[in-house]
Amino acid sequence: MGAAGRRNLPTSEELAAWRAHVETFDVVRARIESRLQQDSKLSSGDYKVLLALSEADGRTVRSSDLAAHIEWERSRLSGHLGRMEKRGLVRREPCEDDARGSHVLLTDEGARAFHASTIPHLQAIKEVFIDAFTPQQLTDLNEAAVAIRRHLDLDAP
Amino acid sequence: MGAAGRRNLPTSEELAAWRAHVETFDVVRARIESRLQQDSKLSSGDYKVLLALSEADGRTVRSSDLAAHIEWERSRLSGHLGRMEKRGLVRREPCEDDARGSHVLLTDEGARAFHASTIPHLQAIKEVFIDAFTPQQLTDLNEAAVAIRRHLDLDAP
DNA sequence: GGCAAGTGATTCACATGTCAATCAACTGAT
DNA sequence: ATCAGTTGATTGACATGTGAATCACTTGCC
């Protein structure tokens, strides 16, 4: 490869940084999810759905709105809700004003499970992730996320 | 909640930092994997397996050694190899010295696919991830990964 | 030699994710 | 009113991931 071809490739340090980042934060995520699972029998997907539902007016959301809110494919949400419904965490009811749609609603059991999970989950985030850093490092990390989002043009109008 | 209970919980800024980090780097990973898939019809799992195999002596590794090397469950590797074998990327052969074991070997087609994938894959890592940052930010990110690994006692003997 | 315990690999059941296809119900232009 | 096109939701086929169970072979110890 000539000099021209190398310019758009990472150096070995850069590549190592990428791999370290991915592998390290995979472990972080796994630890936090595993704590959630052990404390509350909830997956991170369950938690995301329950969080959105518990914040919703009347603990009810139209399925599509829910999918949009948590940025999931509708088919993904559909499958996930099916599993959560089997476990009694949510219920689905037909929608009066639009016969195609359906309302997803939080059951009492779902609300209970969610409320019991939040404090331990937030503790896990603090202990596993936040507590690893100095305030400066946390700021730096945030800057990095901002830089990526700008670079990839996320947050675009 | 009293003052004692709050000390081990993240502030809302800290929680926002966690969420931003997870969501942002999920997008990064998805972009890079999607480029790999489009350029080379390989998943990141395929790539990891092919990388390990192509670096191995004689393009052959004992299945368990491979699993240990890439830090996968053996059952995960087993299933993945099955799919890769169907696509002609690898082959498995019984092991002479230990009749329980098997050798995984890179086929010519697998080697071709891997070699064709590396440059574009590295370019994607550079363009999507590395190029988002200043050198200082990249250093900061690395420091953050080190801090986490120390905090979680990864890299322990 | 022979058996208990360990090891290598696969298999099973399941949860999770993507994408395309389906299907019914809505909506808007005519 | 009608019908093309959109939208809401589910389904199916598959890839991927985990953990437990299985099964065959190997090893260590007697």
Side-chain angles (χ1 to χ4, degrees), chain A residues 38-60:
Chain A
Q38 299 205 317
D39 294 341
S40 318
K41 313 290 178 202
L42 296 176
S43 69
S44 63
D46 299 336
Y47 187 87
K48 201 162 190 177
V49 168
L50 293 177
L51 172 61
L53 271 179
S54 70
E55 282 173 344
D57 237 23
R59 309 201 314 193
T60 291

PDB file of all heavy atoms in Angstrom, chain A residues 38-60:
ATOM      1  N   GLN A  38     -30.396  -9.793  38.109  1.00  0.00           N
ATOM      2  CA  GLN A  38     -30.363 -10.500  39.385  1.00  0.00           C
ATOM      3  C   GLN A  38     -31.232  -9.822  40.430  1.00  0.00           C
ATOM      4  O   GLN A  38     -31.940 -10.491  41.186  1.00  0.00           O
ATOM      5  CB  GLN A  38     -28.923 -10.575  39.880  1.00  0.00           C
ATOM      6  CG  GLN A  38     -28.028 -11.339  38.923  1.00  0.00           C
ATOM      7  CD  GLN A  38     -26.822 -11.932  39.611  1.00  0.00           C
ATOM      8  OE1 GLN A  38     -26.187 -11.274  40.437  1.00  0.00           O
ATOM      9  NE2 GLN A  38     -26.506 -13.171  39.274  1.00  0.00           N
ATOM     10  N   ASP A  39     -31.189  -8.494  40.468  1.00  0.00           N
ATOM     11  CA  ASP A  39     -31.975  -7.779  41.464  1.00  0.00           C
ATOM     12  C   ASP A  39     -33.464  -7.849  41.170  1.00  0.00           C
ATOM     13  O   ASP A  39     -34.280  -7.892  42.088  1.00  0.00           O
ATOM     14  CB  ASP A  39     -31.577  -6.287  41.502  1.00  0.00           C
ATOM     15  CG  ASP A  39     -30.150  -6.077  41.985  1.00  0.00           C
ATOM     16  OD1 ASP A  39     -29.599  -6.987  42.622  1.00  0.00           O
ATOM     17  OD2 ASP A  39     -29.589  -4.992  41.716  1.00  0.00           O
ATOM     18  N   SER A  40     -33.820  -7.816  39.895  1.00  0.00           N
ATOM     19  CA  SER A  40     -35.219  -7.540  39.558  1.00  0.00           C
ATOM     20  C   SER A  40     -35.819  -8.452  38.495  1.00  0.00           C
ATOM     21  O   SER A  40     -36.956  -8.252  38.094  1.00  0.00           O
ATOM     22  CB  SER A  40     -35.363  -6.096  39.064  1.00  0.00           C
ATOM     23  OG  SER A  40     -34.605  -5.209  39.849  1.00  0.00           O
ATOM     24  N   LYS A  41     -35.051  -9.415  38.014  1.00  0.00           N
ATOM     25  CA  LYS A  41     -35.561 -10.278  36.950  1.00  0.00           C
ATOM     26  C   LYS A  41     -36.008  -9.488  35.720  1.00  0.00           C
ATOM     27  O   LYS A  41     -36.960  -9.873  35.045  1.00  0.00           O
ATOM     28  CB  LYS A  41     -36.747 -11.140  37.433  1.00  0.00           C
ATOM     29  CG  LYS A  41     -36.537 -11.824  38.765  1.00  0.00           C
ATOM     30  CD  LYS A  41     -35.512 -12.924  38.632  1.00  0.00           C
ATOM     31  CE  LYS A  41     -35.262 -13.595  39.975  1.00  0.00           C
ATOM     32  NZ  LYS A  41     -33.957 -14.281  40.009  1.00  0.00           N
ATOM     33  N   LEU A  42     -35.351  -8.360  35.490  1.00  0.00           N
ATOM     34  CA  LEU A  42     -35.702  -7.569  34.313  1.00  0.00           C
ATOM     35  C   LEU A  42     -34.491  -7.444  33.400  1.00  0.00           C
ATOM     36  O   LEU A  42     -33.365  -7.280  33.870  1.00  0.00           O
ATOM     37  CB  LEU A  42     -36.148  -6.162  34.716  1.00  0.00           C
ATOM     38  CG  LEU A  42     -37.425  -6.032  35.558  1.00  0.00           C
ATOM     39  CD1 LEU A  42     -37.664  -4.567  35.938  1.00  0.00           C
ATOM     40  CD2 LEU A  42     -38.621  -6.603  34.823  1.00  0.00           C
ATOM     41  N   SER A  43     -34.717  -7.518  32.089  1.00  0.00           N
ATOM     42  CA  SER A  43     -33.664  -7.220  31.126  1.00  0.00           C
ATOM     43  C   SER A  43     -33.644  -5.712  30.891  1.00  0.00           C
ATOM     44  O   SER A  43     -34.572  -4.992  31.291  1.00  0.00           O
ATOM     45  CB  SER A  43     -33.924  -7.937  29.815  1.00  0.00           C
ATOM     46  OG  SER A  43     -35.043  -7.374  29.164  1.00  0.00           O
ATOM     47  N   SER A  44     -32.610  -5.231  30.229  1.00  0.00           N
ATOM     48  CA  SER A  44     -32.565  -3.794  29.975  1.00  0.00           C
ATOM     49  C   SER A  44     -33.696  -3.381  29.034  1.00  0.00           C
ATOM     50  O   SER A  44     -34.197  -2.256  29.119  1.00  0.00           O
ATOM     51  CB  SER A  44     -31.211  -3.389  29.401  1.00  0.00           C
ATOM     52  OG  SER A  44     -30.997  -4.010  28.163  1.00  0.00           O
ATOM     53  N   GLY A  45     -34.102  -4.290  28.166  1.00  0.00           N
ATOM     54  CA  GLY A  45     -35.249  -4.008  27.313  1.00  0.00           C
ATOM     55  C   GLY A  45     -36.528  -3.859  28.131  1.00  0.00           C
ATOM     56  O   GLY A  45     -37.294  -2.909  27.943  1.00  0.00           O
ATOM     57  N   ASP A  46     -36.729  -4.807  29.041  1.00  0.00           N
ATOM     58  CA  ASP A  46     -37.876  -4.704  29.950  1.00  0.00           C
ATOM     59  C   ASP A  46     -37.869  -3.353  30.653  1.00  0.00           C
ATOM     60  O   ASP A  46     -38.886  -2.665  30.734  1.00  0.00           O
ATOM     61  CB  ASP A  46     -37.813  -5.793  31.024  1.00  0.00           C
ATOM     62  CG  ASP A  46     -37.842  -7.199  30.457  1.00  0.00           C
ATOM     63  OD1 ASP A  46     -38.351  -7.382  29.337  1.00  0.00           O
ATOM     64  OD2 ASP A  46     -37.337  -8.117  31.147  1.00  0.00           O
ATOM     65  N   TYR A  47     -36.704  -2.984  31.174  1.00  0.00           N
ATOM     66  CA  TYR A  47     -36.595  -1.750  31.955  1.00  0.00           C
ATOM     67  C   TYR A  47     -36.961  -0.542  31.108  1.00  0.00           C
ATOM     68  O   TYR A  47     -37.692   0.340  31.545  1.00  0.00           O
ATOM     69  CB  TYR A  47     -35.175  -1.601  32.498  1.00  0.00           C
ATOM     70  CG  TYR A  47     -34.997  -0.445  33.454  1.00  0.00           C
ATOM     71  CD1 TYR A  47     -35.246  -0.584  34.807  1.00  0.00           C
ATOM     72  CD2 TYR A  47     -34.596   0.806  32.984  1.00  0.00           C
ATOM     73  CE1 TYR A  47     -35.091   0.474  35.691  1.00  0.00           C
ATOM     74  CE2 TYR A  47     -34.444   1.880  33.850  1.00  0.00           C
ATOM     75  CZ  TYR A  47     -34.692   1.712  35.198  1.00  0.00           C
ATOM     76  OH  TYR A  47     -34.557   2.773  36.057  1.00  0.00           O
ATOM     77  N   LYS A  48     -36.467  -0.542  29.886  1.00  0.00           N
ATOM     78  CA  LYS A  48     -36.731   0.595  29.006  1.00  0.00           C
ATOM     79  C   LYS A  48     -38.226   0.735  28.737  1.00  0.00           C
ATOM     80  O   LYS A  48     -38.788   1.836  28.777  1.00  0.00           O
ATOM     81  CB  LYS A  48     -35.964   0.396  27.691  1.00  0.00           C
ATOM     82  CG  LYS A  48     -35.743   1.670  26.915  1.00  0.00           C
ATOM     83  CD  LYS A  48     -34.635   1.496  25.875  1.00  0.00           C
ATOM     84  CE  LYS A  48     -34.281   2.872  25.295  1.00  0.00           C
ATOM     85  NZ  LYS A  48     -33.179   2.814  24.331  1.00  0.00           N
ATOM     86  N   VAL A  49     -38.861  -0.389  28.482  1.00  0.00           N
ATOM     87  CA  VAL A  49     -40.302  -0.380  28.217  1.00  0.00           C
ATOM     88  C   VAL A  49     -41.066   0.061  29.464  1.00  0.00           C
ATOM     89  O   VAL A  49     -41.952   0.916  29.398  1.00  0.00           O
ATOM     90  CB  VAL A  49     -40.774  -1.777  27.765  1.00  0.00           C
ATOM     91  CG1 VAL A  49     -42.294  -1.869  27.772  1.00  0.00           C
ATOM     92  CG2 VAL A  49     -40.224  -2.104  26.384  1.00  0.00           C
ATOM     93  N   LEU A  50     -40.695  -0.491  30.600  1.00  0.00           N
ATOM     94  CA  LEU A  50     -41.404  -0.163  31.836  1.00  0.00           C
ATOM     95  C   LEU A  50     -41.202   1.298  32.211  1.00  0.00           C
ATOM     96  O   LEU A  50     -42.142   1.961  32.675  1.00  0.00           O
ATOM     97  CB  LEU A  50     -40.939  -1.082  32.969  1.00  0.00           C
ATOM     98  CG  LEU A  50     -41.310  -2.561  32.819  1.00  0.00           C
ATOM     99  CD1 LEU A  50     -40.736  -3.385  33.959  1.00  0.00           C
ATOM    100  CD2 LEU A  50     -42.822  -2.743  32.736  1.00  0.00           C
ATOM    101  N   LEU A  51     -39.989   1.800  31.997  1.00  0.00           N
ATOM    102  CA  LEU A  51     -39.721   3.206  32.291  1.00  0.00           C
ATOM    103  C   LEU A  51     -40.621   4.113  31.452  1.00  0.00           C
ATOM    104  O   LEU A  51     -41.288   5.012  31.970  1.00  0.00           O
ATOM    105  CB  LEU A  51     -38.250   3.526  32.005  1.00  0.00           C
ATOM    106  CG  LEU A  51     -37.842   4.998  32.074  1.00  0.00           C
ATOM    107  CD1 LEU A  51     -38.088   5.549  33.472  1.00  0.00           C
ATOM    108  CD2 LEU A  51     -36.383   5.191  31.687  1.00  0.00           C
ATOM    109  N   ALA A  52     -40.671   3.819  30.165  1.00  0.00           N
ATOM    110  CA  ALA A  52     -41.500   4.652  29.285  1.00  0.00           C
ATOM    111  C   ALA A  52     -42.972   4.560  29.685  1.00  0.00           C
ATOM    112  O   ALA A  52     -43.688   5.565  29.734  1.00  0.00           O
ATOM    113  CB  ALA A  52     -41.322   4.207  27.828  1.00  0.00           C
ATOM    114  N   LEU A  53     -43.414   3.356  30.013  1.00  0.00           N
ATOM    115  CA  LEU A  53     -44.821   3.182  30.386  1.00  0.00           C
ATOM    116  C   LEU A  53     -45.138   3.881  31.703  1.00  0.00           C
ATOM    117  O   LEU A  53     -46.208   4.496  31.849  1.00  0.00           O
ATOM    118  CB  LEU A  53     -45.146   1.695  30.522  1.00  0.00           C
ATOM    119  CG  LEU A  53     -45.613   0.978  29.262  1.00  0.00           C
ATOM    120  CD1 LEU A  53     -45.865  -0.484  29.561  1.00  0.00           C
ATOM    121  CD2 LEU A  53     -46.880   1.642  28.723  1.00  0.00           C
ATOM    122  N   SER A  54     -44.219   3.788  32.651  1.00  0.00           N
ATOM    123  CA  SER A  54     -44.526   4.342  33.961  1.00  0.00           C
ATOM    124  C   SER A  54     -44.525   5.868  33.933  1.00  0.00           C
ATOM    125  O   SER A  54     -45.121   6.505  34.794  1.00  0.00           O
ATOM    126  CB  SER A  54     -43.531   3.831  35.006  1.00  0.00           C
ATOM    127  OG  SER A  54     -42.275   4.415  34.768  1.00  0.00           O
ATOM    128  N   GLU A  55     -43.858   6.429  32.926  1.00  0.00           N
ATOM    129  CA  GLU A  55     -43.864   7.889  32.795  1.00  0.00           C
ATOM    130  C   GLU A  55     -45.055   8.374  31.983  1.00  0.00           C
ATOM    131  O   GLU A  55     -45.316   9.568  31.905  1.00  0.00           O
ATOM    132  CB  GLU A  55     -42.574   8.346  32.104  1.00  0.00           C
ATOM    133  CG  GLU A  55     -41.367   8.352  33.028  1.00  0.00           C
ATOM    134  CD  GLU A  55     -40.077   8.645  32.283  1.00  0.00           C
ATOM    135  OE1 GLU A  55     -40.061   8.541  31.037  1.00  0.00           O
ATOM    136  OE2 GLU A  55     -39.080   8.957  32.949  1.00  0.00           O
ATOM    137  N   ALA A  56     -45.752   7.437  31.365  1.00  0.00           N
ATOM    138  CA  ALA A  56     -46.829   7.825  30.453  1.00  0.00           C
ATOM    139  C   ALA A  56     -48.095   8.172  31.229  1.00  0.00           C
ATOM    140  O   ALA A  56     -48.328   7.664  32.319  1.00  0.00           O
ATOM    141  CB  ALA A  56     -47.118   6.699  29.477  1.00  0.00           C
ATOM    142  N   ASP A  57     -48.879   9.010  30.625  1.00  0.00           N
ATOM    143  CA  ASP A  57     -50.160   9.402  31.185  1.00  0.00           C
ATOM    144  C   ASP A  57     -51.053   8.177  31.329  1.00  0.00           C
ATOM    145  O   ASP A  57     -51.318   7.473  30.355  1.00  0.00           O
ATOM    146  CB  ASP A  57     -50.825  10.386  30.217  1.00  0.00           C
ATOM    147  CG  ASP A  57     -51.137  11.688  30.919  1.00  0.00           C
ATOM    148  OD1 ASP A  57     -50.471  11.971  31.934  1.00  0.00           O
ATOM    149  OD2 ASP A  57     -52.036  12.402  30.447  1.00  0.00           O
ATOM    150  N   GLY A  58     -51.484   7.919  32.539  1.00  0.00           N
ATOM    151  CA  GLY A  58     -52.386   6.797  32.757  1.00  0.00           C
ATOM    152  C   GLY A  58     -51.701   5.456  32.564  1.00  0.00           C
ATOM    153  O   GLY A  58     -52.355   4.436  32.394  1.00  0.00           O
ATOM    154  N   ARG A  59     -50.353   5.476  32.611  1.00  0.00           N
ATOM    155  CA  ARG A  59     -49.570   4.247  32.420  1.00  0.00           C
ATOM    156  C   ARG A  59     -49.957   3.501  31.149  1.00  0.00           C
ATOM    157  O   ARG A  59     -49.951   2.265  31.095  1.00  0.00           O
ATOM    158  CB  ARG A  59     -49.718   3.325  33.652  1.00  0.00           C
ATOM    159  CG  ARG A  59     -49.443   4.072  34.955  1.00  0.00           C
ATOM    160  CD  ARG A  59     -49.081   3.189  36.119  1.00  0.00           C
ATOM    161  NE  ARG A  59     -49.936   2.008  36.285  1.00  0.00           N
ATOM    162  CZ  ARG A  59     -49.927   1.261  37.398  1.00  0.00           C
ATOM    163  NH1 ARG A  59     -49.142   1.598  38.413  1.00  0.00           N
ATOM    164  NH2 ARG A  59     -50.676   0.205  37.496  1.00  0.00           N
ATOM    165  N   THR A  60     -50.327   4.234  30.142  1.00  0.00           N
ATOM    166  CA  THR A  60     -50.776   3.646  28.882  1.00  0.00           C
ATOM    167  C   THR A  60     -50.198   4.421  27.706  1.00  0.00           C
ATOM    168  O   THR A  60     -50.145   5.635  27.736  1.00  0.00           O
ATOM    169  CB  THR A  60     -52.314   3.708  28.789  1.00  0.00           C
ATOM    170  OG1 THR A  60     -52.887   2.825  29.739  1.00  0.00           O
ATOM    171  CG2 THR A  60     -52.794   3.337  27.404  1.00  0.00           C
TER     172      THR A  60
END
